[in-house]
Amino acid sequence: SCQAALTNQCTLRAAIQSANNRSDADNIDFTLMSITLENDLPVILYPVTIGPDSPPRVDLNGAGSNSGLVLDELAAGSVIRNLVIRNMSGNGITLTTGTGGNAIQGCYIGTNPAGSAASANGGDGISISSPSGPLPPAGLTLVDDNVISGNEGDGIDIFGPNTTLVTIIRNFIGTDRNGLLAVPNGSGGGDNHGIRISADAYGNIIGGTPPTQSNVIAGNDATIFSDGISVQGNALLPNVILGNFIGLTPALVLDLGNGRAGINAVDVRPHDDSPTEVALLIGPTNVIGYNGSTDDPAPGIRITGTSRGVYVFLNAIGVAEDPSGFIDLGNSGVGVEVTSGPSFVGIDDADNLGGNFIGANGGSGVEVTGNDIVVQGNLIGDPNPDDAFAMGNDGDGIKIAFG
């Protein structure tokens, strides 16, 4: 074993090297609570569990010049838990095992050990991809109960045509560990986001309908090009975004808007081999507010490019209701902007339960500038015109520019 070989002195590097010498699953535990890397760690070749089973977290500091944890495709089934992963030269965690079977739980990625301020990784917080070629999914990849903030790239980047079944729940992405302060991802500049799904990744899930599975995806405002969630590319099966707080926290009152759109869907389409004509489901129960700025207005949701097969349903966009009444969460631009279709804003069902609540936004409630776009079953504007707190959108309820 690692300890026997080194007379009970085992570095993290030596522990990974020892685990790489056998294909069976291994555990790497820690006696030190803080480690500063002097060199890049070896790539992890086989399944391993790294980190204590509960806090306190082990602080893994890359010293600004060393790479984070990298898992090879044969390491599917690994668990990374209760670590602080910061100040790496590139990504905090890189999974090239996007066909599944991994878990990242309870980590602070891109922040200081207190989870209160940035200690940036130089790339993405978590990068998840898959090897090329026809590979069956190996199982769920779970990203659960982490703080993923302060990174120079995306908070989470999911890409590649075999990258599927990534489930992201209970994370703070772009804020401190309490969701009270913005700690934006994308600080390296350019086109970086809270979460990015691209390059034909499919069948991934962001959030969940029980409130305990919600993500807070907010504060990613390092540049005016930073969306809360950016989705691009073909999807063999739809990606799903549900039950999240995007641009705000569950308390609803803190403006932690993302720099651009809450959700930006660009060139999202069903794959040619898809068994369904659905590429992206946005809903139910996302609360999307405060995104964009006065100087750079942005929508709560944008569907553009060559997108088709996008469904937006049962969300609160710019306004929400709590026991005290309605709350203005207005996005700086329109509520929902749609330029391509077939796309659907609201689902008309027999019980009229498939629509969105769209109000208090800085532009129109819904703006349509394309063809084959259906808007139905939504509550757009002030639900109670006699209420002292008007929740109407600043522009039209529905604006059809052409199409």
Side-chain angles (χ1 to χ4, degrees), residues 51-369:
D53 57 9
S54 63
R57 295 171 180 84
V58 174
D59 180 17
L60 188 57
N61 186 340
S65 59
N66 298 291
S67 62
L69 297 172
V70 180
L71 278 70
D72 188 68
E73 60 187 89
L74 294 179
S78 293
V79 178
I80 300 172
R81 63 191 185 188
N82 294 310
L83 301 178
V84 178
I85 301 174
R86 63 189 180 104
N87 207 17
M88 301 295 174
S89 59
N91 302 327
I93 299 172
T94 301
L95 302 182
T96 59
T97 57
T99 50
N102 303 289
I104 301 170
Q105 298 174 303
C107 295
Y108 291 176
I109 303 172
T111 75
N112 62 13
S116 60
S119 185
N121 295 302
D124 302 322
I126 302 173
S127 174
I128 304 174
S129 62
S130 56
S132 61
L135 294 172
L140 177 75
T141 290
L142 180 64
V143 181
D144 175 23
D145 196 25
N146 304 283
V147 177
I148 306 166
S149 303
N151 299 285
E152 293 190 8
D154 299 309
I156 303 174
D157 188 10
I158 302 168
F159 63 98
N162 290 314
T163 308
T164 187
L165 298 181
V166 178
T167 298
I168 301 171
I169 58 172
R170 300 197 305 162
N171 302 283
F172 288 95
I173 302 171
T175 75
D176 70 340
R177 66 184 178 89
N178 295 313
L180 298 177
L181 300 171
V183 185
N185 295 293
S187 58
D191 183 23
N192 293 302
H193 313 287
I195 299 174
R196 183 199 304 262
I197 299 176
S198 64
D200 299 352
Y202 70 93
N204 301 292
I205 300 172
I206 302 173
T209 49
T212 54
Q213 293 186 358
S214 298
N215 298 290
V216 172
I217 306 165
N220 298 289
D221 61 354
T223 77
I224 60 172
F225 306 108
S226 295
D227 301 313
I229 302 172
S230 173
V231 186
Q232 297 175 296
N234 300 324
L236 182 64
L237 295 172
N239 293 296
V240 182
I241 303 169
L242 73 165
N244 301 287
F245 294 89
I246 302 174
L248 66 159
T249 65
L252 303 179
V253 295
L254 287 177
D255 179 349
L256 294 174
N258 298 290
R260 194 167 58 179
I263 300 172
N264 196 12
V266 182
D267 298 332
V268 174
R269 302 171 300 273
H271 191 279
D272 290 342
D273 295 328
S274 174
T276 174
E277 285 300 309
V278 182
L280 176 63
L281 297 174
I282 302 175
T285 64
N286 295 293
V287 182
I288 304 169
Y290 298 132
N291 295 289
S293 66
T294 302
D295 293 335
D296 296 287
I301 299 172
R302 175 183 285 128
I303 302 166
T304 190
T306 59
S307 294
R308 58 184 175 87
V310 180
Y311 288 74
V312 180
F313 62 100
L314 282 173
N315 303 288
I317 304 168
V319 64
E321 185 177 11
D322 74 358
S324 66
F326 296 100
I327 301 176
D328 181 344
L329 314 172
N331 297 286
S332 61
V334 302
V336 182
E337 176 186 330
V338 192
T339 70
S340 63
S343 297
F344 299 83
V345 181
I347 299 173
D348 190 16
D349 61 16
D351 298 318
N352 196 31
L353 296 176
N356 302 280
F357 185 6
I358 306 170
N361 296 289
S364 299
V366 180
E367 183 170 301
V368 174
T369 58

